[in-house]
Amino acid sequence: MTSDMIPLIVIGLIYFYQNWFFFRYAEAILLKPVKRRWIALAFFLNYTLFTLCSVLQLHLVVNWLLIFTLLLIEILCFFRCPLSDGFILALFSMIIGLALNILLRCLLAAAFDLPLASFDNNSMDAGNLKRYPVGLGFLAAGLYFQIARRYDAHMDNPRVVFKDPARRRFLIQLSLAIYLYLVLNLLIYTQPGNLLVLKLWGVKSCVFSLLGLYLAVRYAARISRLGQYRALNSQVLAALEHQREEALELSRIASTDPLTGCPNRQMAEAATAGWLETGTPFCLCFADLNGLKLVNDTQGHEMGDRYLLTVVQTLQSACRQDADQLFRYGGDEFLLLFRDLTPAIAASRMDRVNRSLRARSHMPGHPFAMSVSFGLAQSGEGESPDALIQTADKRMYHDKENTERNKNGRRP
């Protein structure tokens, strides 16, 4: 093995790391799995193109445009996603990778008082130092993708934007502008001399580009959520009016709660008994609204009904169609049956429910705090519906006591 092959192999290993976690990052945003062998294939294709561009000594601008095109094709083929989604993800990867690449080239050039031309694409030149910032850039990008995908709060922003066509178009336009701006900054490597101002300009451009991408995603997500909240509030008002008009008819339906439209207590106990008899694995969740009586006493029963309907709507979003079931068990109590879910996953779903309710609290239409306390019981913890419900009920009251002690409403 020649000494020239060692850097190529090391950078290849680093790029595999970056490539692997980028596609895992894309999985987390699109909520679609991709086969691991496809990720390996993407690495082979991308790194082959990267090596070929280095051998041919193409201009850096051409390199990054070619890599962007190939990555876009891979995302579209692997995930079968809309062109707009693939375009945004490819732009994310390119902006983060290119910004870190230019940033490290400029910082190394400034730190060691070297001309930027020492880091251009002339990799056959013995004095070319391109491999160092390239390797570090791949490593930094990989670390970002690996860490970011682990935090739901961070990943929620792009997920929300991807569901909003208007905000998606906005993000495409702004991301494309940032990417083209970074690509144009590659022209500084063609400038002769060893000017510090060019290096500082490159550092500034990269920092502003990364900050601009972060703010663009956050702003687009915030606008999308506000639109969703307005639509949900309108739906709640429409649902409340509709439920009132049909209250008399619904009251005659013994198996259905007239206000929320959820199956009632008897249906909940029958469904639980049926799943226990058939041996269906499930997790039972017993949920209770926090502060409903206070809302009824201080703001009236109309607001209390709105609170109930909002909770029902949010709980329904946590249920999978044709898999999970939601029941109104009592005045402010609900029972959920999650088929084939562990308590840990069910608790994560309920935590998302509470995050959504808190986000809509003290907003127009909901001038009060909203949250639920809940307890979970696995199907194997009880031999009868009563035993299982009592177990979940006790854990719910324990959760409610913790919530009351913790005034900010977060679970301990």
Side-chain angles (χ1 to χ4, degrees):
M1 181 181 298
T2 65
S3 59
D4 292 337
M5 290 295 295
I6 295 177
L8 191 64
I9 293 174
V10 172
I11 293 177
L13 292 174
I14 296 174
Y15 184 72
F16 180 84
Y17 166 76
Q18 185 268 344
N19 184 81
W20 179 272
F21 281 106
F22 166 72
F23 279 100
R24 299 299 304 278
Y25 172 84
E27 278 184 333
I29 290 179
L30 296 176
L31 300 177
K32 293 181 179 180
V34 62
K35 295 180 180 179
R36 300 302 178 251
R37 63 176 178 268
W38 290 358
I39 300 179
L41 174 62
F43 160 73
F44 174 77
L45 295 175
N46 295 341
Y47 199 60
T48 298
L49 176 61
F50 170 79
T51 305
L52 186 62
C53 290
S54 298
V55 172
L56 296 177
Q57 299 185 24
L58 300 177
H59 195 281
L60 287 171
V61 173
V62 178
N63 285 5
W64 284 92
L65 291 176
L66 289 174
I67 294 172
F68 169 79
T69 303
L70 178 59
L71 182 61
L72 174 60
I73 294 172
E74 291 167 352
I75 294 171
L76 295 176
C77 292
F78 294 171
F79 291 101
R80 304 291 182 182
C81 62
L83 176 62
S84 58
D85 291 356
F87 204 78
I88 293 175
L89 285 170
L91 284 173
F92 279 6
S93 178
M94 291 298 100
I95 290 172
I96 293 170
L98 182 54
L100 291 172
N101 193 292
I102 296 175
L103 176 66
L104 288 165
R105 293 187 194 210
C106 291
L107 288 175
L108 289 176
F112 295 100
D113 194 26
L114 295 171
L116 288 170
S118 301
F119 301 92
D120 64 13
N121 211 33
N122 187 16
S123 57
M124 298 302 157
D125 188 345
N128 188 273
L129 303 173
K130 165 190 168 183
R131 58 181 176 270
Y132 297 109
V134 167
L136 291 173
F138 286 157
L139 181 61
L143 284 170
Y144 167 76
F145 292 131
Q146 180 182 11
I147 295 171
R149 63 182 287 271
R150 295 180 178 274
Y151 293 94
D152 280 343
H154 181 78
M155 300 300 288
D156 279 346
N157 283 340
R159 288 174 189 154
V160 169
V161 176
F162 274 41
K163 296 177 182 178
D164 186 339
R167 303 288 81 75
R168 197 164 48 195
R169 288 193 297 271
F170 162 80
L171 191 57
I172 288 175
Q173 294 167 0
L174 193 55
S175 298
L176 184 59
I178 293 173
Y179 178 57
L180 293 177
Y181 172 71
L182 283 171
V183 169
L184 291 176
N185 272 269
L186 292 171
L187 297 175
I188 63 177
Y189 297 105
T190 64
Q191 301 302 313
N194 185 21
L195 298 176
L196 179 61
V197 66
L198 286 180
K199 303 168 189 177
L200 296 178
W201 174 268
V203 171
K204 180 272 299 180
S205 299
C206 296
V207 172
F208 278 26
S209 296
L210 291 172
L211 182 60
L213 179 63
Y214 167 76
L215 293 176
V217 174
R218 185 173 179 180
Y219 169 79
R222 178 169 294 183
I223 297 301
S224 294
R225 288 191 179 97
L226 288 175
Q228 291 174 3
Y229 295 153
R230 285 194 294 268
L232 288 172
N233 286 337
S234 298
Q235 292 173 18
V236 168
L237 292 173
L240 180 60
E241 185 64 26
H242 181 69
Q243 293 292 344
R244 283 177 174 171
E245 292 174 356
E246 296 187 346
L248 292 177
E249 178 182 353
L250 291 174
S251 65
R252 292 192 296 268
I253 302 176
S255 62
T256 305
D257 173 63
L259 175 64
T260 64
C262 296
N264 61 15
R265 177 173 182 165
Q266 291 71 29
M267 294 297 292
E269 293 173 348
T272 305
W275 283 17
L276 285 173
E277 290 173 1
T278 58
T280 302
F282 64 96
C283 180
L284 184 147
C285 176
F286 198 89
D288 183 272
L289 277 66
N290 294 322
L292 176 62
K293 183 178 185 303
L294 180 62
V295 173
N296 283 329
D297 291 343
T298 60
Q299 303 193 42
H301 287 276
E302 181 178 350
M303 282 295 182
D305 289 348
R306 188 176 299 183
Y307 187 1
L308 279 166
L309 288 171
T310 303
V311 169
V312 168
Q313 191 176 55
T314 309
L315 289 174
Q316 286 172 338
S317 69
C319 295
R320 298 163 297 174
Q321 189 174 7
D322 300 326
D324 306 326
Q325 297 188 43
L326 169 65
F327 306 87
R328 187 179 183 187
Y329 196 77
D332 57 355
E333 298 170 336
F334 292 87
L335 188 143
L336 299 94
L337 299 178
F338 294 113
R339 186 192 298 267
D340 294 324
L341 284 192
T342 64
I345 297 177
S348 176
R349 286 172 177 242
M350 295 303 296
D351 286 337
R352 286 200 296 270
V353 166
N354 270 329
R355 286 199 298 269
S356 177
L357 289 173
R358 293 190 185 103
R360 298 175 64 184
S361 298
H362 304 295
M363 296 281 285
H366 299 88
F368 43 80
M370 296 186 292
S371 66
V372 297
S373 297
F374 62 91
L376 303 169
Q378 196 68 15
S379 52
E381 294 186 75
E383 297 180 356
S384 67
D386 286 344
L388 204 58
I389 292 171
Q390 286 176 10
T391 299
D393 188 37
K394 290 178 182 178
R395 292 170 182 170
M396 181 275 293
Y397 275 107
H398 178 69
D399 180 53
K400 185 177 286 289
E401 289 172 359
N402 288 336
T403 301
E404 290 175 356
R405 285 195 296 266
N406 187 357
K407 295 302 183 182
N408 61 17
R410 296 179 60 187
R411 290 169 56 81

